[in-house]
């Protein structure tokens, strides 16, 4: 069953506001870098609070060794009993290759109701897990198996919940290749349990598949339930950002910086060599920030003339990226308004990076590197007002002068550093921006459907709006 975005239950397009800030006037060069901050605000415009559960398909995959069965023994049945009615679900265990645990028999998917939840919770008690000494499948196998299963379930939101103790990290060789094949197919949240997992592949999974990665010491059942509840708040499952560039632009990249860092893959548009599409996922009401980077050749362009280097499009909303090549011998008349915006995005990305590097250095017993990187992170956190980073640093070091970047690392249990490394790479950069209110505009007197401020006719019943 497919979800009709033109249904009266939800508007065909959310209320979108797009603002572009440029990093600054440019000096001419054969490979000049242009950076722009894209700020996207989305309003639900009267959409229902929750997406109908029938529009969700979720795989719960348990990549855990037999020795760690206790980590999922109670949490998995609890999460299954909490599934909403009519959601499509499947449970995978390992042996060591991913194997379907539920539903039983020939059916690939179960649809939740009271009886299906009861049966699934019971069967989860005998979930197959791989034994010690057995070569594990690798994360690529879990992703490939999920892709094949989700391909046959054409619903609005397709999602993988991967629970892992790190058993699949050993010998991983083709994860990036498989993630390329999964682009646009589904999203993924990763929950790490136990103490022997490696953070890097888990962060890669979350970043490439537009989800989160977090360590769960206890409360795993609640974490799975909360993840599914978040999926139901999705207003628009996929919302591509299109970038059309002038011929002098040779490279284009786009990355999501907030609320969480995500790497966006670009898709060329057949017959449009200068247009690129960047799919994004799971849009809820609120704000997102992106960094658009262009590499352009100035040789054929005039100087001191405003030029449009790109047009950014989200749905029916468009915004130009305008800049000029500035003569090197002349001073800039003023700093562009977007300079600080782009600088803050880059500073936030650097803060995350050096925090993670400092924690890894502590884990690898390199105290001098840890001191330097954690000091940089503390200084940037002070400048940006990011308190959670300072709180993380205080867990592993004494902060003598945060503004100056002076910290003194302490001896720390290496096992405690893995969850911190995950948080540095996947946690939101700060509190979510205030939700954008519904756009002002009329409401249909016939069927009550809300309309945008420029609408003249109802998109549901066609009546003229007054």
């Amino acid at each position: 069953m497919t979800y009709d975005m033109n249904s009266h239950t939800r508007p065909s397009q959310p209320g979108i506001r797009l603002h572009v800030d440029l990093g600054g006037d440019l000096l001419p060069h054969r490979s000049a870098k242009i950076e722009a901050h894209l700020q996207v605000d989305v309003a639900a415009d009267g959409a229902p609070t929750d997406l109908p559960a029938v529009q969700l398909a979720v795989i719960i995959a348990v990549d855990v060794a037999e020795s760690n069965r206790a980590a999922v023994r109670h949490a998995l049945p609890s999460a299954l009993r909490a599934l909403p009615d009519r959601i499509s679900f499947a449970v995978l265990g390992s042996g060591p290759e991913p194997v379907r645990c539920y539903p039983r028999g020939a059916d690939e998917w179960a649809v939740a109701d009271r009886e299906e939840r009861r049966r699934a919770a019971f069967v989860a008690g005998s979930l197959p897990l791989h034994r010690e000494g057995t070569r594990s499948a690798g994360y690529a196998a879990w992703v490939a198996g999920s892709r094949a299963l989700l391909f046959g379930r054409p619903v609005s939101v397709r999602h993988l919940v991967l629970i892992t103790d790190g058993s699949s990290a050993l010998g991983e060789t083709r994860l990036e290749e498989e993630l390329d094949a999964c682009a646009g197919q589904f999203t993924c949240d990763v929950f790490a349990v136990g103490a022997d997992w490696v953070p890097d592949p888990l962060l890669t999974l979350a970043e490439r598949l537009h989800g989160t990665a977090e360590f769960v010491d206890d409360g795993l059942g609640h974490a799975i339930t909360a993840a599914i509840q978040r999926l139901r708040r999705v207003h628009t499952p996929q919302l591509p950002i299109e970038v059309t560039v002038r011929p002098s632009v040779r490279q284009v990249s786009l990355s999501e910086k907030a609320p969480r860092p995500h790497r966006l893959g670009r898709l060329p548009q057949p017959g449009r060599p200068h247009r690129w599409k960047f799919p994004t996922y799971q849009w809820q009401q609120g704000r997102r920030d992106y960094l658009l980077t262009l590499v352009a050749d100035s040789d054929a362009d005039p100087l001191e003339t405003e030029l449009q280097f790109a047009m950014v499009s989200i749905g029916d909303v468009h915004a130009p990226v305008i800049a000029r090549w500035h003569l090197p011998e002349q001073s800039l008349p003023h700093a562009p308004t977007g300079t600080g915006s782009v600088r803050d995005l880059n500073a936030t990305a650097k803060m995350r990076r050096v925090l993670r590097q400092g924690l890894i250095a502590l884990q690898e017993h390199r105290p001098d590197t840890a001191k330097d990187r954690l000091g940089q992170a503390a200084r940037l956190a002070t400048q940006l007002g990011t308190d959670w980073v300072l709180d993380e640093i205080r867990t592993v070091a004494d902060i003598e002068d945060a503004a100056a970047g002076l910290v003194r690392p302490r001896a720390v249990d290496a096992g405690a550093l893995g969850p911190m490394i995950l948080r540095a790479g996947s946690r939101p950069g700060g509190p979510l921006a205030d939700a954008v209110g519904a756009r002002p505009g009329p409401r249909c007197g016939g069927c009550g459907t809300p309309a945008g401020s420029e609408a003249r006719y109802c998109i549901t019943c066609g009546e003229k709006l007054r």
Side-chain angles (χ1 to χ4, degrees):
M1 178 177 178
T2 57
Y3 182 65
D4 181 5
M5 289 300 293
N6 293 317
S7 164
H8 71 277
T9 57
R10 284 178 184 244
S12 59
Q13 178 181 300
I16 298 172
R17 298 174 187 165
L18 171 62
H19 181 70
V20 176
D21 278 336
L22 195 65
D25 284 326
L26 312 171
L27 297 180
H29 192 274
R30 290 184 63 86
S31 297
K33 184 167 73 170
I34 304 170
E35 293 183 318
H37 171 202
L38 311 183
Q39 181 178 292
V40 187
D41 290 305
V42 169
D45 279 4
T49 303
D50 288 339
L51 186 73
V54 72
Q55 299 300 334
L56 276 70
V58 175
I59 295 174
I60 301 176
V62 186
D63 170 39
V64 173
E66 180 63 43
S67 58
N68 281 328
R69 181 178 289 274
V72 298
R73 177 177 289 121
H74 301 294
L76 184 56
S78 172
L80 292 170
R81 285 191 291 267
L83 289 172
D85 283 341
R86 303 184 72 195
I87 190 173
S88 299
F89 73 99
V91 182
L92 303 183
S94 58
E97 293 290 330
V99 58
R100 180 159 42 84
C101 169
Y102 197 85
R104 313 289 283 182
D107 292 336
E108 291 186 330
W109 291 93
V111 177
D113 59 21
R114 185 171 64 178
E115 182 62 18
E116 287 288 355
R117 287 192 293 265
R118 185 192 67 78
R119 287 169 55 85
F122 175 75
V123 171
S126 61
L127 183 78
L129 303 176
H130 62 81
R131 304 282 179 174
E132 297 293 343
T134 304
R135 182 172 177 79
S136 57
Y139 292 127
W142 289 96
V143 174
S146 299
R147 174 166 59 90
L149 189 55
L150 286 162
F151 181 77
R153 205 69 174 177
V155 294
S156 292
V157 177
R158 297 182 291 182
H159 192 72
L160 167 65
V161 174
L162 177 62
I163 304 161
T164 182
D165 62 357
S167 302
S168 285
L170 299 175
E172 185 67 76
T173 58
R174 56 187 183 90
L175 180 58
E176 288 285 351
E177 176 185 347
E178 182 55 44
L179 288 173
D180 289 339
C182 291
Q185 301 298 311
F186 60 94
T187 53
C188 175
D189 285 329
V190 182
F191 296 113
V193 299
D196 296 327
W197 42 270
V198 178
D200 286 347
L202 305 186
L203 288 169
T204 298
L205 282 164
E207 184 181 14
R208 293 289 302 278
L209 296 179
H210 298 260
T212 63
E214 61 181 281
F215 168 69
V216 183
D217 189 15
D218 53 19
L220 176 61
H222 175 74
I224 298 171
T225 300
I228 294 172
Q229 290 173 343
R230 286 195 301 272
L231 294 177
R232 296 196 66 189
R233 291 195 295 270
V234 169
H235 178 267
T236 303
Q238 183 181 129
L239 189 62
I241 300 176
E242 292 188 341
V243 181
T244 306
V245 300
R246 63 186 288 116
S248 62
V249 176
R250 296 197 301 246
Q251 298 178 32
V252 182
S253 64
L254 184 68
S255 58
E256 183 178 322
K257 298 299 183 179
R260 285 182 171 87
H262 288 142
R263 198 188 329 169
L264 303 185
R266 63 180 188 177
L267 303 175
Q269 301 304 290
R272 306 293 296 270
H274 303 297
R275 174 173 289 185
W276 299 89
K277 180 182 288 186
F278 296 85
T280 64
Y281 305 92
Q282 294 187 11
W283 282 83
Q284 300 178 25
Q285 185 167 277
R287 174 171 296 169
R288 292 191 186 184
D289 295 279
Y290 296 87
L291 183 65
L292 173 66
T293 303
L294 311 174
V295 176
D297 183 354
S298 68
D299 282 356
D301 288 337
L303 303 181
E304 296 298 345
T305 300
E306 285 195 340
L307 303 170
Q308 182 174 312
F309 286 91
M311 177 67 78
V312 180
S313 304
I314 306 179
D316 296 330
V317 179
H318 312 276
V321 178
I322 297 174
R324 60 177 178 162
W325 299 115
H326 184 70
L327 292 172
E329 61 273 13
Q330 294 185 4
S331 60
L332 294 176
H334 63 275
T337 57
T339 303
S341 173
V342 173
R343 186 186 303 119
D344 284 350
L345 281 185
N346 286 326
T348 300
K350 181 179 180 181
M351 176 186 67
R352 285 183 178 275
R353 183 173 67 251
V354 294
L355 173 61
R356 185 177 167 193
Q357 289 172 347
L359 296 171
I360 292 172
L362 276 180
Q363 197 174 48
E364 297 175 349
H365 306 292
R366 295 182 284 122
D368 291 341
T369 301
K371 180 178 180 180
D372 175 71
R373 301 298 192 275
L374 293 176
Q376 291 185 52
R379 185 175 67 253
L380 288 168
T382 301
Q383 294 171 0
L384 297 168
T386 312
D387 292 338
W388 73 263
V389 172
L390 295 175
D391 291 339
E392 293 285 84
I393 294 172
R394 289 189 184 97
T395 305
V396 298
D398 296 320
I399 300 179
E400 297 176 348
D401 187 337
L406 298 178
V407 304
R408 185 159 39 88
R410 300 189 299 270
V412 186
D413 178 11
L417 292 169
M420 298 179 67
I421 295 169
L422 273 192
R423 288 195 294 270
S426 188
R427 175 174 173 156
L432 291 174
D434 292 338
V436 182
R439 290 176 298 177
R443 183 179 292 269
C444 179
C447 67
T449 301
S453 58
E454 302 301 319
R456 295 295 177 266
Y457 294 89
C458 177
I459 63 172
T460 300
C461 67
E463 291 294 320
K464 187 173 182 178
L465 300 171
R466 295 181 175 81

